[in-house]
Amino acid sequence: MKYFRFIIGLAALALFYSLFASGLNPPGITGEVLRHNRANNINASPLWYRDLEDINSYERDVHRMREEARLRAESADRN
Amino acid sequence: MKGGFSVLWKEEDWWAIWLGFIIIIGALLEIVPKVPKVGGWTDNPLNAFLLIKDDVTTGNIIVPLIALMIALAVLTSIAIGFMKVANIGKYIVGFCGVFVIGVIAYWMSNQAEIKYWGLSYALWALLIGLLISNTLKTPKWLLAGARTELYIKIGLVLLGCEILFNKIISLGIPGLMVAWIVTPVVIIFMYMFAIRKLKMKNKELAIIVSAATSVCGVSAAIATAAACRGKKEDLTLAVGLSLVFTVLMMFFMPLAIKWVGMNHILGAAWMGGTIDSTGAVVAAGSMLGPDAMKVAAVVKMIQNVLIGLVAFFVAIYWVTKVENDSGRKASAMEIWYRFPKFVIGFVAASLLFSFVIMPLTPGDFSEVENRFINPVTHILQNWFFCLAFVSIGLESNFKDLASKMEGGKPMILYVVGQSFNLILTIAVAWLAFMVLFPHAI
């Protein structure tokens, strides 16, 4: 009996998994983020910042954006 | 010291510190080789185990994975042997079983479509474990390798290497305001709401859900659960709630921001401060453009650093207030005795990397990250968390989980807390990025 329950559970898990792995897409606007992730190959599964391969470049780019914003503000003040 | 110095080799907390620091020192001395991880795949499941460079297969990771399994089994069995909590031979056999399930969980999570949905290894590790425990009833040989607390604590000591305090200034004062002012307020609000309004009896579950909602989902839930010695079922519930709502928020927040025409940097800060997991933050931020994506990710990163302080203060609060039911002030010795010692290792690793290793290493910070953290401590930390989630699943059953629901109170707590988080974060982000520092970025 327990093996029967296990097989049923395994089949349910496999079905659940293949539903998502098969490229299922929610209809209309609700699937927009998923289509965007697929088009841009965005991995939405990292749990922690270090799981992101590009986090160091994001940090550098944000630093650059802040520098540019500071220069823009200084230039606006001078004018 | 209560129990004498023997606690140093008899208690799990101390062993988590010793093993964690053996790995850290090994990484720093560059004697620990690059740790293997299961790769990604789209249509061919075997690609997850192949090393592919420029579309050419250069090898596979089967042998490195077996070597990793043996190395981790030997390393952790030293602790098991000294603590005398299990037969070493049986533990090693069980560990190998848990490790194989962990590999399957990683393999499932690394499929391309699964990644787009944001369904991480934690979900699959829990589900496989729960499937086995609730149908077959986990066999004893496998249960012998399910050492949830030990894996979590070693993983947390390794996570300490990534709590780098230089990160908190990455977005200046506005970033700090969003990530570091809102978060503690939300944790306190949620915990008070759970205890005073919802009258939740399970205080551990209340604080774990509060930390998961306000800091960074799964990682914060793990750290807080270990700090307050929460039950496995508490952690499972909090992680389940966080994973489900993270996907929902990733789907709907960027649409709402675009619909109301909100400033994209403001929207990015809002999502970075509220969506639980980093991957979902990046996916949602990317909907608003590349700059917004980077700002959202950096806000999340600044918030991630809070996890160390949260774990530390939760541990202190628990030993001085919650577990101290004598009505008198606990003495320093009592606090020390009850304090979860692995938190010291967690904080020490963070301080070591933030204030010693980083300043002493020539070049920029990424040098340290690329040499020591990314190839070794980070991957091992993920392996230990994966083993912990498999173990939790193997040791849990649906009846115990249902008994923790208290009529849906954890769900109410999450929804109310997250709503408060959304309102407070947008208010503070608007104040920081639009009013006080409009030229910050």
Side-chain angles (χ1 to χ4, degrees), chain B residues 204-221:
Chain B
E204 286 79 14
L205 179 58
I207 195 69
I208 296 168
V209 172
S210 305
T213 313
S214 53
V215 189
C216 50
V218 174
S219 311

Side-chain angles (χ1 to χ4, degrees), chain B residues 301-322:
Chain B
M301 180 186 74
I302 298 167
Q303 201 182 43
N304 279 183
V305 179
L306 255 182
I307 194 177
L309 291 177
V310 169
F312 182 77
F313 284 112
V314 166
I316 291 279
Y317 182 74
W318 237 251
V319 297
T320 55
K321 299 284 181 191
V322 179

Side-chain angles (χ1 to χ4, degrees), chain B residues 323-344:
Chain B
E323 289 177 352
N324 179 26
D325 48 13
S326 63
R328 61 180 173 78
K329 197 179 170 196
S331 69
M333 276 309 288
E334 278 177 280
I335 293 172
W336 169 250
Y337 173 64
R338 289 201 296 254
F339 190 80
K341 310 295 184 302
F342 80 91
V343 175
I344 297 169

Side-chain angles (χ1 to χ4, degrees), chain A:
Chain A
M1 187 61 186
K2 68 179 185 180
Y3 288 104
F4 178 71
R5 281 208 309 261
F6 176 70
I7 298 292
I8 297 291
L10 190 62
L13 180 61
L15 186 70
F16 177 72
Y17 181 77
S18 36
L19 203 68
F20 289 102
S22 64
L24 164 88
N25 208 55
I29 198 166
T30 50
E32 204 172 308
V33 174
L34 201 64
R35 283 191 291 275
H36 178 80
N37 287 353
R38 199 172 288 135
N40 297 283
N41 195 25
I42 293 172
N43 177 5
S45 68
L47 298 172
W48 177 252
Y49 84 90
R50 181 60 43 203
D51 294 328
L52 292 178
E53 286 175 12
D54 298 324
I55 189 67
N56 288 344
S57 72
Y58 293 173
E59 263 189 279
R60 279 195 294 273
D61 287 347
V62 166
H63 182 74
R64 180 185 48 76
M65 285 156 65
R66 289 182 63 212
E67 274 299 301
E68 286 170 3
R70 187 180 61 80
L71 293 173
R72 272 199 309 274
E74 281 177 7
S75 163
D77 283 347
R78 274 198 301 274
N79 295 333

Side-chain angles (χ1 to χ4, degrees), chain B residues 117-176:
Chain B
W117 275 93
L119 303 174
S120 73
Y121 69 87
L123 173 72
W124 305 111
L126 272 175
L127 287 180
I128 299 171
L130 284 168
L131 170 68
I132 294 170
S133 66
N134 286 276
T135 56
L136 295 175
K137 195 170 182 290
T138 310
K140 277 183 183 165
W141 69 266
L142 188 56
L143 210 51
R147 311 294 312 182
T148 305
E149 285 84 6
L150 182 66
Y151 303 147
I152 285 182
K153 289 168 185 174
I154 300 172
L156 283 170
V157 172
L158 296 176
L159 189 74
C161 305
E162 299 166 35
I163 313 286
L164 304 171
F165 281 88
N166 71 301
K167 302 281 181 196
I168 65 174
I169 52 167
S170 299
L171 202 43
I173 296 173
L176 265 180

Side-chain angles (χ1 to χ4, degrees), chain B residues 12 65 115 117 123 153 164 181 185 196 247 372 380:
Chain B
E12 195 174 67
L65 279 179
K115 284 181 178 179
W117 275 93
L123 173 72
K153 289 168 185 174
L164 304 171
I181 291 179
V185 174
R196 294 189 181 169
V247 173
F372 309 123
L380 281 175

Side-chain angles (χ1 to χ4, degrees), chain B residues 162-415:
Chain B
E162 299 166 35
I163 313 286
L164 304 171
F165 281 88
N166 71 301
K167 302 281 181 196
I168 65 174
I169 52 167
S170 299
L171 202 43
I173 296 173
L176 265 180
M177 284 176 70
V178 173
W180 279 51
I181 291 179
V182 176
T183 305
V185 174
V186 175
I187 293 181
I188 294 166
F189 165 82
M190 285 184 71
Y191 184 68
M192 292 299 182
F193 180 78
I195 303 303
R196 294 189 181 169
K197 286 285 172 198
L198 293 176
K199 311 269 185 229
M200 276 178 73
K201 293 188 188 90
N202 188 343
K203 291 181 177 177
E204 286 79 14
L205 179 58
I207 195 69
I208 296 168
V209 172
S210 305
T213 313
S214 53
V215 189
C216 50
V218 174
S219 311
I222 295 172
T224 315
C228 71
R229 298 190 182 95
K231 301 272 187 306
K232 295 173 188 74
E233 292 80 11
D234 300 338
L235 181 56
T236 307
L237 274 181
V239 166
L241 279 172
S242 173
L243 290 174
V244 170
F245 279 93
T246 295
V247 173
L248 292 177
M249 288 171 75
M250 173 181 82
F251 274 27
F252 294 109
M253 281 187 80
L255 301 183
I257 289 166
K258 283 167 108 175
W259 188 62
V260 299
M262 188 186 292
N263 175 291
H264 284 182
I265 296 299
L266 176 62
W270 190 32
M271 292 192 294
T274 51
I275 298 178
D276 289 346
S277 80
T278 308
V281 165
V282 169
S286 163
M287 288 289 288
L288 307 180
D291 286 350
M293 176 184 76
K294 289 163 191 168
V295 169
V298 169
V299 168
K300 193 78 226 168
M301 180 186 74
I302 298 167
Q303 201 182 43
N304 279 183
V305 179
L306 255 182
I307 194 177
L309 291 177
V310 169
F312 182 77
F313 284 112
V314 166
I316 291 279
Y317 182 74
W318 237 251
V319 297
T320 55
K321 299 284 181 191
V322 179
E323 289 177 352
N324 179 26
D325 48 13
S326 63
R328 61 180 173 78
K329 197 179 170 196
S331 69
M333 276 309 288
E334 278 177 280
I335 293 172
W336 169 250
Y337 173 64
R338 289 201 296 254
F339 190 80
K341 310 295 184 302
F342 80 91
V343 175
I344 297 169
F346 182 35
V347 173
S350 168
L351 297 177
L352 176 73
F353 271 78
S354 298
F355 301 112
V356 181
I357 308 288
M358 287 287 194
L360 286 181
T361 307
D364 64 0
F365 293 145
S366 58
E367 170 76 7
V368 174
E369 293 165 334
N370 294 335
R371 274 177 64 190
F372 309 123
I373 299 175
N374 291 348
V376 183
T377 61
H378 176 68
I379 302 177
L380 281 175
Q381 168 248 307
N382 272 338
W383 273 113
F384 277 112
F385 282 176
C386 185
L387 297 175
F389 280 116
V390 173
S391 304
I392 290 171
L394 291 173
E395 292 178 304
S396 302
N397 66 64
F398 291 133
K399 266 186 199 164
D400 289 342
L401 281 174
S403 72
K404 297 278 179 182
M405 283 307 286
E406 292 188 48
K409 285 178 182 175
M411 174 85 96
I412 297 169
L413 174 63
Y414 190 95
V415 172

